[in-house]
Each structure stands twice: as C-alpha cells, then as structure tokens.
Amino acid sequence: KSVGFVRNLQTNYQIDLLDRMTFAFRNEKNEIQYAVRDEFSQLYQAKIIGNDTLVFNNLVANLGDFRTKWETRLADSWHKRMV
C-alpha cells in the first residue's frame, strides 16, 4: 500500500520519489523542489540549501516514521552525508 501511495504522489507531482539519488526538499519559499545528487551537493556548497533545509526521507520504513520523520531537517537526515 505504501508503494502505491508513493506512486500516486509521483503521478500527481510529476516527480520520481523512488529514485534514491533524487532528493526532494523545501526551498526558501516553502515550495517543494528536487535535485539529483550532484546538484543537491552543489546547492549545499553554494549555501542555497543548508542544515535547516527540510528534506523528504523516502526511505521511512513504516507509517509511524512517515508521520514523524518523512519531512525532516537536512542535518538530522541521511541526506547530510551526501553533501
């Protein structure tokens, strides 16, 4: 069911949430953006995004984690090691 939910989100927002090297995040206008790994790292190095940027953890394992850890600060997520 969770994969179906994610696929529905992908269709609605025209993004690929299952590609682990594409990162979704909220920009300074609170809009959702996504970037491939290299671009994400460049945005961090250029200080366009930072440790307080909200990222989406598409690797959550259950509904509880989805509710509490799906959207989290970059500094508190696995994304941090990618920048």
Side-chain angles (χ1 to χ4, degrees):
K1 289 182 180 183
S2 62
V3 173
F5 174 75
V6 171
R7 287 191 176 144
N8 189 33
L9 287 174
Q10 291 182 129
T11 300
N12 288 341
Y13 294 100
Q14 299 177 349
I15 59 172
D16 186 356
L17 298 172
L18 298 176
D19 179 353
R20 293 184 181 166
M21 291 299 112
T22 300
F23 306 135
F25 61 95
R26 290 195 182 272
N27 66 18
E28 66 281 349
K29 295 178 183 176
N30 205 34
E31 301 166 329
I32 298 172
Q33 280 187 261
Y34 68 98
V36 295
R37 181 180 178 182
D38 291 341
E39 181 183 8
F40 190 76
S41 180
Q42 290 170 0
L43 292 170
Y44 185 84
Q45 299 305 318
K47 300 185 188 303
I48 295 170
I49 62 173
N51 289 328
D52 290 328
T53 298
L54 294 176
V55 295
F56 294 89
N57 179 9
N58 296 326
L59 303 179
V60 292
N62 56 54
L63 183 58
D65 283 351
F66 173 77
R67 289 181 175 153
T68 60
K69 299 178 184 174
W70 183 52
E71 190 172 354
T72 189
R73 292 176 58 241
L74 173 63
D76 300 329
S77 75
W78 61 267
H79 298 76
K80 179 66 176 175
R81 65 178 183 222
M82 300 297 181
V83 296

